[in-house]
Amino acid sequence: MEEHASLRPAATDGGTTGREAETTIQVLLADPEVRRLGEEIRLEELRLGLHLHARYGALQDRRERAVREGDHAVLQRVCPGKHGQWGRICVLDAGHESADPHWGVNAEGQPVAWVGSAPDDD
């Protein structure tokens, strides 16, 4: 039985499409307006993180203590999102997203709050 053309894998083009996509991404990220918006988002996430620190700071302490002591019961309750690869660790309990933004620290240790997840979160 012959396979329908739409079910066959696309032919490889020697990587041209991948290089074109990478070039397009680099051009977009270099655009001054994209950079300005990225900085605006970064600053707003820091502002909100600082604003919510009084409310959630104890959860950061709880997570740090759980990591130090190997308290798996606490660590299993923490937000399962894959934020670490993006330089962030959400310290709220799993399921918080319906009521609260993610809150934790960024790679520099600053309080940060954000909406959404990593692109590969399932």
Side-chain angles (χ1 to χ4, degrees):
M1 182 172 184
E2 182 155 333
E3 193 173 272
H4 188 276
S6 65
L7 299 177
R8 281 189 225 124
T12 59
D13 61 0
T16 303
T17 303
R19 285 191 298 273
E20 289 173 355
E22 189 172 320
T23 300
T24 300
I25 291 168
Q26 289 174 350
V27 168
L28 286 172
L29 292 177
D31 181 89
E33 183 65 6
V34 170
R35 294 178 74 121
R36 185 191 68 75
L37 289 172
E39 181 63 10
E40 193 172 313
I41 290 168
R42 186 186 74 77
L43 291 173
E44 182 58 23
E45 289 174 345
L46 286 170
R47 187 199 64 75
L48 185 57
L50 286 171
H51 176 74
L52 294 172
H53 187 268
R55 183 173 173 187
Y56 296 132
L59 296 175
Q60 174 66 26
D61 296 339
R62 174 190 73 167
R63 182 192 173 278
E64 289 174 6
R65 190 171 41 259
V67 168
R68 258 192 329 272
E69 298 171 2
D71 188 340
H72 297 284
V74 169
L75 295 174
Q76 288 175 341
R77 290 195 319 256
V78 175
C79 180
K82 302 173 194 168
H83 315 297
Q85 65 186 347
W86 303 101
R88 298 169 174 196
I89 297 172
C90 179
V91 300
L92 303 183
D93 286 338
H96 67 86
E97 301 90 348
S98 62
D100 294 308
H102 294 287
W103 187 90
V105 294
N106 62 16
E108 292 79 32
Q110 300 166 310
V112 62
W114 68 98
V115 176
S117 294
D120 60 348
D121 274 356
D122 301 43

